[in-house]
Amino acid sequence: MSHLTPPRQLPEPDADSPNGTTAEDSSAAPEVKDTEPDAPADVEPAHEEAAEATQPPTTGEADESAGTTASDSASTDEPDPSGAASSSARPGWFGWRRRFPRAARGVRVGTSVLAGVLVLVVLLIPNRLDRITPQSFLRMPVEAIFLAAVLLVLPSRARRITAVVLGAFLGLSTVLKCLDMGFYQTLARPFDLVFDWVLLSNGADFLKDSLGRSGEVLAVIGVIVLVIAVLVLTALAMLRLADLMARNRPVAVRGTLVLGTAWIVCFTMGVQPGGVTIATKGYSQYLSNKVQYVREGLGDAEVFQKQLDVDAFAGTPSDQLLTGLRGKDVLFTFVESYGRVAIDDPTMAPEIDKTLKEGDARLKSAGFAARSGWLTSPVTGAGSWLAHTTFLSGLWVKNQQRYRTVTTSDRASLTSYFQKTGAWRTVGIVPGVRKSWPEGTYFGLDNIYDSTHLGYQGPYFSWTPVPDQFTLEAFQKLEHGKKDRDPIMAEIILASSHNPWSPIARMVDWNDLGDGTVFNKIKAEGTNPTEVWKSAKRVRTEYRKAIQYSLDSLTQWVQRYGDDNTVLVFLGDHQPVPTVTGGSANKDVPITIVAHDPKVLDRVADWGWTDGLKPAADAPKWGMDQFRDRFMTAYGPAKK
């Protein structure tokens, strides 16, 4: 260079250039095909490519090269007032992508692939754990093609906003699918967007009982963090894919057209290689079902109100109610999770059958007889209070809204009709209740004994506050065993066969029950629920043992304390969780009437129920809501 040659000056930035590039750079910059992923799709970073072609090495390169000139260093290290030189020198990730271009490209490609996989998984994943298979993801969702078409036709700003919103919506639907999975595993039905929110607090209470207060808090925090993470990741994934398609618009358009055509062909021809439906619209169907459930839920209140107003016995005088049971002690007893699976399942049936036969022998030795049939519960897996209310109100109480409606109404329950007659003292034995239970007044009970009133000083057995044998002994001491008392109508809700069935109590000598501390040793020797629930087979075994314990408690109590005036009606409230039932949709539960006076059973002879504690497979089956009116008719004055 001649000493007369003036030093090379950087041109002034063009004020009209939005990126601070020079007019010369802007006009000479070549078209860029592969932009950085963080740059908006419609902004071509031409100044970076131009800088690479016309300027000396960047800061990172200058640090590694000893031959860099002072003027070059000044052009790269000293910031330009507009910031153009700085952005050119350290693009993205603090200059990491410029220093390691191959690794950066691999990360870009990998991130884009992961984003696409995440969106496809969200669209294709079923909302039931038992339906998640590798074949579930070997399909072509029409929703992905539709989303691609929408994003391709939108301008830059609208496209990015739409991508974020759609991504968050996909994340929200993923959360709902996860809720469905949990509800199918426990209740054998999907999550109800209208009525089931209250059950989430019940789930938190269950965590507190199982893991303690600290465990509950940590679990809730973990769930909240996970939900936020899902929403953010799906939103970012959609934004990533939207930008990628915009940068490669011709390829994206052709690909979308080809996939759309392929989907139409496969759907029209019903292509199913290996039984897998290639062209699917399952996500749209899932959303449609959710909308339909919401519409039905919102309209359910009006339907239920019409049913609530119909009561065949509302106008019956009290002296004509339940005349066939006057002078009897009538005990309505619910056995938690005692479902048809306990009697019909081949792996449990032999042991349960043995327990029922032994129970029949005990009852017969004490002068009792029994008749058994089937009822269909409105719930399965959980929701005992809905089943109890259905049985006692004569209404199909299938959700929390119906439960609240009926328990705040003046609809008479079976137990309140006993109270209405004035011929019985009505009591409730509810060891599972550990907090305020205002709904209890609806059931017409003169006195309610919860877990704090039974005198139990022993340990909890997982969820179960009081073992069934102790509960029945407490009822004997508090009410049934009193002298010179009025006839009793009792609602007794046993809890030992409540999920998770580990550890469980076992029968002890009735004279040794004391204050319940005898169960400390039994719990210590019991199983660990964490270990039990690692195996479905062990869960089923522990469930079967819990049912046997509840049945033995009942039949031994009747043998020990029953008399000529004892009438016991006991039933299961619902089937156990799908882990035990194997995913069966059957909701049948056994019901049995036990009585010493033959006239009591004669009144239900035309029901066709089976003699003994075990109902026959073909015994009559009614909806649980039908029992109240049938029972009151059978034991009313018109029944001969």
Side-chain angles (χ1 to χ4, degrees), residues 14-83:
D14 187 353
D16 296 333
S17 175
N19 293 318
T21 59
T22 65
E24 178 184 351
D25 289 341
S26 299
S27 62
E31 181 182 359
V32 178
K33 297 300 184 182
D34 184 17
T35 66
E36 298 296 340
D38 294 333
D42 288 348
V43 178
E44 300 290 345
H47 63 283
E48 294 183 8
E49 299 296 337
E52 289 183 16
T54 62
Q55 295 185 12
T58 64
T59 302
E61 294 168 335
D63 293 339
E64 298 172 5
S65 174
T68 304
T69 66
S71 61
D72 292 339
S73 298
S75 67
T76 57
D77 292 339
E78 292 186 15
D80 183 87
S82 67

Side-chain angles (χ1 to χ4, degrees), residues 572-591:
D573 49 15
H574 54 70
Q575 287 261 62
V577 296
T579 303
V580 178
T581 63
S584 171
N586 186 287
K587 295 183 178 181
D588 295 348
V589 296
I591 179 169

Side-chain angles (χ1 to χ4, degrees), residues 515-637:
D515 63 357
T517 53
V518 66
F519 288 102
N520 284 318
K521 181 179 179 181
I522 295 175
K523 179 181 180 179
E525 295 171 349
T527 55
N528 185 328
T530 303
E531 294 299 320
V532 167
W533 278 81
K534 291 180 179 178
S535 166
K537 182 178 180 181
R538 289 195 66 185
V539 172
R540 293 161 65 84
T541 298
E542 296 305 303
Y543 163 77
R544 184 256 299 165
K545 291 179 179 179
I547 294 297
Q548 288 179 279
Y549 170 74
S550 296
L551 294 175
D552 284 339
S553 297
L554 273 172
T555 56
Q556 287 190 27
W557 184 90
V558 173
Q559 181 187 35
R560 182 179 178 86
Y561 296 117
D563 56 33
D564 294 352
N565 292 321
T566 301
V567 177
L568 170 66
V569 181
F570 74 90
L571 67 152
D573 49 15
H574 54 70
Q575 287 261 62
V577 296
T579 303
V580 178
T581 63
S584 171
N586 186 287
K587 295 183 178 181
D588 295 348
V589 296
I591 179 169
T592 299
I593 298 180
V594 178
H596 193 283
D597 185 350
K599 294 180 181 179
V600 173
L601 295 182
D602 287 345
R603 286 194 170 233
V604 297
D606 58 349
W607 285 4
W609 285 15
T610 308
D611 290 338
L613 299 178
K614 179 183 177 181
D618 59 349
K621 180 176 66 176
W622 309 332
M624 193 175 279
D625 57 327
Q626 298 176 352
F627 180 83
R628 188 201 76 157
D629 288 4
R630 288 177 180 265
F631 185 86
M632 294 187 66
T633 299
Y635 294 103

